Amino acid sequence: MTEPGDPRGTRWGTRRFSLRGRVTLLAAASVAGAVALVSIGAYMVVRSNLYQQLDDGLMARAQAAADSPQVQTSLRQVPGAFLASADLQIGQLNAAPDVQHAVMTYPLSSSAPPFDQRELNVANGDSPESLRTDFRTDSRVVALPSGHGEAIVLAQSMGPTKRTLNELALVLFLIGGAGILVAAAAGTAVARTGLRPVDRLTSAAERVAKTGDLRPIPVSGDDELARLTQTFNTMLGTVADSQERQRQLVADAGHELRTPLTSLRTNLELLLAASKPGAPPLPHEDRADIVEDISGQLDELTQLIGDLVELARQDEPRERFERVELLDVVERALDRARRRAGEINFDVSLQPWVLTGDNSSLERAVLNLLDNAVKFSPPDSTVWVRLYPLGDGTAVVEVADAGPGIAEEDLPKVFDRFYRSSEARTLPGSGLGLAIVKHAAERHGGAVYASQAPEGGALMTIRLPGAPG
């Protein structure tokens, strides 16, 4: 006997009650239940009909015997039915005060039918008729009055009827057993055929677990299992896309990290070489330039690593979103952007908008747009910020700057990871800011767009579903 949680019991239970076994068992049990109900119903109906026919026939013959003419014998007159009742026990019961003194007259070729006080009551006129089962002789007994203080008593054995019922029960049992076996075989065949796609899914899952091969499974048919296979293929495709994005992110991050790390190493080697005994000292201006360069590279690395962490955090599934007041999100992002905007002015027009999502992710996306606009705007210029609904169940956050704008060939690529236009390569940044914006918008069911602002600079737009606040 295994304890709860014992793996032996789990393995035994899995083998003993596999899905194919449960389908077979269910099919056999369903057919067994149906056959049992039908067989019991048929048996009870036939049993009732046979006994009813026995009673009706016995009553009719008793009535015919009571109405038949008297026949003179060497002893006395008896009903003529005595001479034509070889399959019955028939007798004429004379009335008496009690059973012990009653007299039963019956044919010499037969035996006396059983009788008791109920038949005697019929002979005395106290009861119009009597029909009962005599369990001592296993027969049905009927009594009808024949007049003059007498009653005709007929008894017929129930043995033939019971034999017929026993034969019927045996036939029903054999047919039911055969039906259950056929149902079990059919259930096994159906389970084997129907669960073949499940076997393919199992093999595919095991293949993925062992080899990491994410090839889709061939789909045949349009039933529930085919849809399950399609869903599994969709999941495999999603996993493959996720792996591809991870590989691309690692490759791009490695490429972006190589330049600042190389520069840091070169500068540090120069400082170390200059600090060795006997080495010519570095001029003060060169040392200051190297230190400034190292500081700038460290800042770039810090920002790059922070953006990579933000992208990885946004890829994590959220168990639930919360109500987001987009107006509050934009205002918080504006407060942070103003503190580091220097001489840049902001022209702001915001309308309330509510959606379900992640506050921090949306705030980071809006802040990235604002920082991007500030970076490309000349001193004393204006950044325009707008939040308004479009009337189709979506609203847009627009950020426009007064910078040089975006070249036409760069517009489709500005939201790609690590993409930096030729104008932006000389400016600080990781190349991930706009990619984070795109990821946040798509994660909330929205989209991002880049175009030229009417003032000549760049216009960045986030479009999000929701409702007026």
Side-chain angles (χ1 to χ4, degrees):
M1 184 173 182
T2 59
E3 296 295 332
D6 189 339
R8 293 175 298 172
T10 303
R11 289 196 298 270
W12 181 87
T14 302
R15 287 196 295 267
R16 179 63 179 83
F17 296 104
S18 63
L19 181 57
R20 183 178 289 108
R22 289 196 296 270
V23 171
T24 302
L25 184 61
L26 179 61
S30 299
V31 172
V35 168
L37 290 176
V38 172
S39 298
I40 292 173
Y43 181 83
M44 296 303 294
V45 169
V46 172
R47 180 179 182 277
S48 176
N49 289 338
L50 287 179
Y51 280 124
Q52 188 62 46
Q53 290 176 9
L54 176 64
D55 291 345
D56 292 345
L58 192 59
M59 184 65 75
R61 297 178 74 173
Q63 188 64 51
D67 296 339
S68 64
Q70 300 289 318
V71 178
Q72 183 68 40
T73 66
S74 57
L75 298 176
R76 54 170 295 178
Q77 289 183 338
V78 297
F82 278 20
L83 305 178
S85 303
D87 61 332
L88 298 173
Q89 292 175 291
I90 185 170
Q92 188 174 29
L93 180 64
N94 296 314
D98 52 45
V99 176
Q100 286 76 15
H101 296 87
V103 177
M104 173 70 73
T105 304
Y106 55 91
L108 296 177
S109 59
S110 177
S111 57
F115 68 93
D116 58 15
Q117 187 62 44
R118 282 166 286 190
E119 286 76 26
L120 190 59
N121 290 339
V122 174
N124 289 328
D126 296 334
S127 179
E129 63 181 33
S130 173
L131 178 62
R132 66 182 179 87
T133 298
D134 188 80
F135 294 100
R136 294 174 299 170
T137 59
D138 194 25
S139 60
R140 293 287 281 175
V141 181
V142 63
L144 291 177
S146 59
H148 309 291
E150 296 178 339
I152 292 296
V153 180
L154 277 74
Q156 186 170 1
S157 174
M158 295 190 296
T161 302
K162 288 186 175 182
R163 284 193 295 272
T164 300
L165 291 175
N166 290 337
E167 292 173 357
L168 174 64
L170 179 61
V171 170
L172 291 176
F173 178 78
L174 293 177
I175 293 177
I180 293 172
L181 293 177
V182 171
T188 302
V190 169
R192 183 180 294 111
T193 303
L195 295 178
R196 190 170 293 123
V198 178
D199 292 337
R200 289 201 298 268
L201 285 177
T202 303
S203 300
E206 292 175 348
R207 185 193 71 214
V208 170
K210 292 179 179 178
T211 66
D213 185 1
L214 299 177
R215 288 176 300 171
I217 306 170
V219 181
S220 60
D222 57 354
D223 55 5
E224 290 79 0
L225 290 174
R227 290 196 293 273
L228 175 61
T229 305
Q230 292 172 349
T231 303
F232 189 81
N233 285 340
T234 302
M235 182 190 71
L236 290 178
T238 302
V239 174
D241 291 341
S242 177
Q243 287 186 348
E244 180 60 29
R245 288 197 302 270
Q246 289 177 359
R247 283 194 292 267
Q248 186 64 38
L249 178 62
V250 171
D252 293 341
H255 175 74
E256 293 295 323
L257 287 170
R258 188 177 295 113
T259 300
L261 288 175
T262 302
S263 178
L264 279 174
R265 180 175 181 177
T266 302
N267 289 327
L268 288 174
E269 287 176 348
L270 285 174
L271 289 177
L272 291 174
S275 63
K276 290 181 178 180
L282 283 173
H284 179 73
E285 293 80 5
D286 293 342
R287 179 180 292 273
D289 290 341
I290 292 174
V291 171
E292 183 180 356
D293 191 30
I294 289 175
S295 178
Q297 296 294 342
L298 287 175
D299 290 341
E300 185 176 346
L301 281 174
T302 301
Q303 182 178 357
L304 177 59
I305 293 172
D307 289 342
L308 287 172
V309 171
E310 178 66 19
L311 278 176
R313 190 184 70 84
Q314 289 189 358
D315 282 333
E316 295 175 356
R318 296 280 178 176
E319 293 186 359
R320 69 175 190 177
F321 282 160
E322 57 187 354
R323 176 186 172 91
V324 176
E325 298 283 351
L326 193 56
L327 187 148
D328 295 341
V329 169
V330 176
E331 288 182 341
R332 289 197 301 270
L334 277 167
D335 290 340
R336 296 173 62 182
R338 285 190 177 102
R339 288 196 294 267
R340 50 199 186 196
E343 300 175 351
I344 303 298
N345 301 311
F346 290 90
D347 185 328
V348 181
S349 175
L350 307 177
Q351 298 182 34
W353 190 255
V354 177
L355 69 154
T356 301
D358 181 8
N359 265 295
S360 61
S361 175
L362 290 173
E363 183 178 340
R364 177 63 185 267
V366 175
L367 181 61
N368 283 359
L369 290 185
L370 296 173
D371 287 343
N372 190 74
V374 169
K375 181 169 63 174
F376 288 98
S377 296
D380 294 324
S381 63
T382 300
V383 171
W384 290 267
V385 182
R386 300 289 184 268
L387 166 59
Y388 60 91
L390 296 179
D392 59 355
T394 63
V396 292
V397 178
E398 294 181 346
V399 178
D401 60 56
I406 304 174
E408 290 293 332
E409 62 272 15
D410 292 330
L411 285 175
K413 307 174 184 177
V414 293
F415 293 103
D416 294 344
R417 290 176 176 177
F418 300 107
Y419 181 79
R420 303 178 73 181
S421 64
S422 55
E423 293 82 2
R425 293 186 186 278
T426 58
L427 298 175
S430 65
L432 291 175
L434 295 182
I436 292 175
V437 175
K438 178 182 178 182
H439 191 282
E442 292 178 347
R443 191 157 169 260
H444 288 81
V448 291
Y449 309 97
S451 60
Q452 300 292 346
E455 293 76 10
L459 173 63
M460 300 293 181
T461 303
I462 303 177
R463 185 174 182 174
L464 296 169

